[in-house]
Amino acid sequence: MRFDSARHTGRYFGGVALLAGMVLGCSGSAVESLAVTRSDSAGVRITYAQRPSWGPGEAWTVGSTPVVDIGRDQEDTTHLLGVVGAVQPLSNGRIVVQDNGTFRLVIFDSTGGRLGTIGRRGRGPGEFEGMWGTYRCRGDTLVVDQGRAIGVFAPEGVFVGRYPIAGPSGSTARGIEGISHDCASVLLEDREAREPQAGVFTESAVLWWWKRHEALWDTVHRFLGPELSRITVLGRAVGAGLPFGRRPVWAAFDDRVYFGAGDRPEIQVFGPTGGLERVIRWHAEFAPVTGADRSAYEDRRRRYLERHPEEAIVYRPLADYPVPRHKPFFVRALVDELGRLWVLQYPFAAGGLPHVALDEPTSESERWWLFGPDDTWYGTITMPPGFTLQRVQRDRLYGVYIDTSAAEHVRVHRLIGPD
């Protein structure tokens, strides 16, 4: 199965605990009237928003027509790209595309014109044994996650070096999750595997910064991993991702980490050495798992297994799982170069497993909650149908679109509204 990077009822008021001392003895309407509340608790800034700051007509929008569309060569109509693993814009307007189909980085200019490639499949200098993500740090240096190592390239594509990923004694880190702005530290995730248990269970996990030139590690946050369920595969009990289950998300920006558990509308921000600095909370309703959601899961499973029948053993019918009553609030987070936080709302078309890539067209539009650099909740931005957002650079949105022939396109859309 290809993988990409709530069990509560009623309303969630992320600021209830924060406001309790302020509104004790007041009616519920007093809480409702507060739009934004900020406070500090033991040096941690907490922001709670009851509603978005955008008023009528103030919301930003996304241009429906892409300003750049990279997908087919205009001369011979052959595909330029195989499987797009990552899209990374550079400061000079160029676009780097990680092509997992050819194990290369493909470089395009700001208009989509192809300039050249970096690397190929192999084990030599500048070659790739695996490609699990491409990151950019200061000076447009590129860092490619190769699973157990990283490959570093200068902006012009010159190979700098390959560095094995290292962690504390006993670590089983599975590749990188982000890169610091100065290229010196790599964000790693490690998970403590558990014997699969009946019902729903989780595994303990940790995020840490690895200073690759100093062999030092700073723990960022310890947390519970995604919700799993025990299934039997070839007579052996294994843990499988729980359909509609909670999956933590995180994103690195500069030397900070934004983390969300997914079961409540809240993002925590951790500093360079792991201390909690800020908490961003907003009001959102729990979304129940409906009959339509269940049907979407089965339909998605059927279509996936038509192309990958060998994976039926792990992509199981929904009846094999203890399905949660409610869906998580979100499934992804990213922070753009201006420090704005983007949080992807749980998508209907995911069919309960948003981390499984279907590689087929969809008419659904992603909906992202957007927060400013000062943690102000702006509102919701809706993407063009079928467009999967990957990166944001000022007023340009970079992502992937799959056409009716199942060919992948890298597209750039304009963000309309911000100065």
Side-chain angles (χ1 to χ4, degrees), residues 141-144 146 150-154 158-163 212:
T141 297
L142 296 172
V143 178
V144 180
Q146 300 186 54
I150 58 174
V152 180
F153 296 83
V158 176
F159 176 64
V160 175
R162 182 179 185 274
Y163 305 90
R212 58 189 179 90

Side-chain angles (χ1 to χ4, degrees), residues 7 200 227-229 240-246 321-324 352-353 355:
R7 299 188 304 277
V200 179
E227 291 182 311
L228 306 172
S229 179
L242 179 69
F244 304 104
R246 173 189 55 77
Y321 299 95
V323 179
L353 292 175
H355 55 292

Side-chain angles (χ1 to χ4, degrees), residues 306-381:
E306 285 176 355
R307 281 184 274 177
H308 307 281
E310 72 283 357
E311 297 190 8
I313 194 170
V314 293
Y315 203 162
R316 310 289 276 271
L318 200 58
D320 288 358
Y321 299 95
V323 179
R325 293 179 58 186
H326 296 89
K327 293 178 281 191
F329 285 94
F330 48 77
V331 294
R332 278 188 61 209
L334 65 87
V335 185
D336 65 29
E337 62 176 9
L338 299 180
R340 300 175 300 204
L341 169 66
W342 300 68
V343 181
L344 176 59
Q345 300 175 29
Y346 196 93
F348 173 79
L353 292 175
H355 55 292
V356 177
L358 257 189
D359 299 337
E360 67 178 23
T362 176
S363 59
E364 186 179 29
S365 296
E366 291 184 346
R367 291 170 55 83
W368 291 77
W369 284 308
L370 179 61
F371 301 82
D374 63 350
D375 301 341
T376 297
W377 180 20
Y378 291 159
T380 298
I381 292 184

Side-chain angles (χ1 to χ4, degrees), residues 393-414:
Q393 190 175 65
R394 296 188 178 274
D395 66 343
R396 292 294 185 268
L397 308 179
Y398 298 77
V400 178
Y401 173 82
I402 301 177
D403 66 23
T404 55
S405 65
E408 296 190 0
H409 296 238
V410 170
R411 284 186 170 180
V412 183
H413 287 266
R414 184 182 171 215

Side-chain angles (χ1 to χ4, degrees), residues 96-108:
V96 178
V97 179
Q98 175 187 310
D99 189 344
N100 290 351
T102 60
F103 272 53
R104 297 178 300 177
L105 298 178
V106 188
I107 315 300
F108 299 90

Side-chain angles (χ1 to χ4, degrees), residues 5-120:
S5 238
R7 299 188 304 277
H8 303 278
T9 58
R11 274 184 193 180
Y12 178 89
F13 291 97
V16 167
L18 168 65
L19 299 172
M22 300 171 55
V23 300
L24 187 61
C26 298
S27 67
S29 61
V31 176
E32 293 282 343
S33 66
L34 298 173
V36 178
T37 302
R38 288 187 172 91
S39 76
D40 286 276
S41 176
V44 178
R45 188 180 78 181
I46 302 174
T47 302
Y48 169 69
Q50 174 66 22
R51 57 180 179 270
S53 63
W54 282 336
E58 295 178 344
W60 301 349
T61 59
V62 179
S64 59
T65 302
V67 295
V68 177
D69 187 344
I70 303 169
R72 291 179 179 270
D73 190 303
Q74 298 300 317
E75 297 180 0
D76 60 15
T77 69
T78 58
H79 294 146
L80 279 174
L81 302 172
V83 179
V84 178
V87 181
Q88 192 63 255
L90 303 182
S91 60
N92 60 7
R94 293 182 176 182
I95 305 169
V96 178
V97 179
Q98 175 187 310
D99 189 344
N100 290 351
T102 60
F103 272 53
R104 297 178 300 177
L105 298 178
V106 188
I107 315 300
F108 299 90
D109 64 24
S110 60
T111 66
R114 179 167 168 158
L115 298 176
T117 63
I118 299 173
R120 61 182 180 181

Side-chain angles (χ1 to χ4, degrees), residues 107-294:
I107 315 300
F108 299 90
D109 64 24
S110 60
T111 66
R114 179 167 168 158
L115 298 176
T117 63
I118 299 173
R120 61 182 180 181
R121 185 190 296 269
R123 298 185 178 183
E127 298 178 337
F128 304 114
E129 292 184 74
M131 300 185 78
W132 301 101
T134 299
Y135 303 85
R136 175 176 68 95
C137 49
R138 186 169 60 194
D140 284 340
T141 297
L142 296 172
V143 178
V144 180
D145 178 7
Q146 300 186 54
R148 290 292 181 180
I150 58 174
V152 180
F153 296 83
E156 60 275 12
V158 176
F159 176 64
V160 175
R162 182 179 185 274
Y163 305 90
I165 291 176
S169 177
S171 163
T172 57
R174 304 175 176 86
I176 73 175
E177 304 294 335
I179 188 81
S180 63
H181 69 287
D182 61 0
C183 308
S185 299
V186 176
L187 184 66
L188 303 175
E189 184 235 355
D190 191 13
R191 194 174 302 161
E192 180 183 351
R194 294 178 54 187
E195 186 68 25
Q197 302 176 9
V200 179
F201 70 97
T202 60
E203 298 171 338
S204 297
V206 62
L207 291 169
W208 72 76
W209 284 113
W210 165 49
K211 295 179 173 59
R212 58 189 179 90
H213 292 307
E214 304 174 59
L216 297 176
W217 306 272
D218 286 323
T219 298
V220 175
H221 184 45
R222 297 184 183 276
F223 59 97
L224 293 178
E227 291 182 311
L228 306 172
S229 179
R230 185 176 68 180
I231 63 173
T232 301
V233 178
L234 299 177
R236 179 185 176 188
V238 299
L242 179 69
F244 304 104
R246 173 189 55 77
R247 294 181 62 86
V249 304
W250 49 81
F253 174 66
D254 284 346
D255 50 6
R256 283 165 171 75
V257 176
Y258 291 65
F259 174 88
D263 59 353
R264 56 191 180 274
E266 175 184 289
I267 296 292
Q268 299 174 313
V269 185
F270 295 88
T273 58
L276 180 62
E277 293 184 342
R278 292 146 48 203
V279 178
I280 306 166
R281 294 170 176 159
W282 65 100
H283 173 77
E285 301 283 348
F286 280 106
V289 177
T290 65
D293 290 314
R294 292 172 176 270

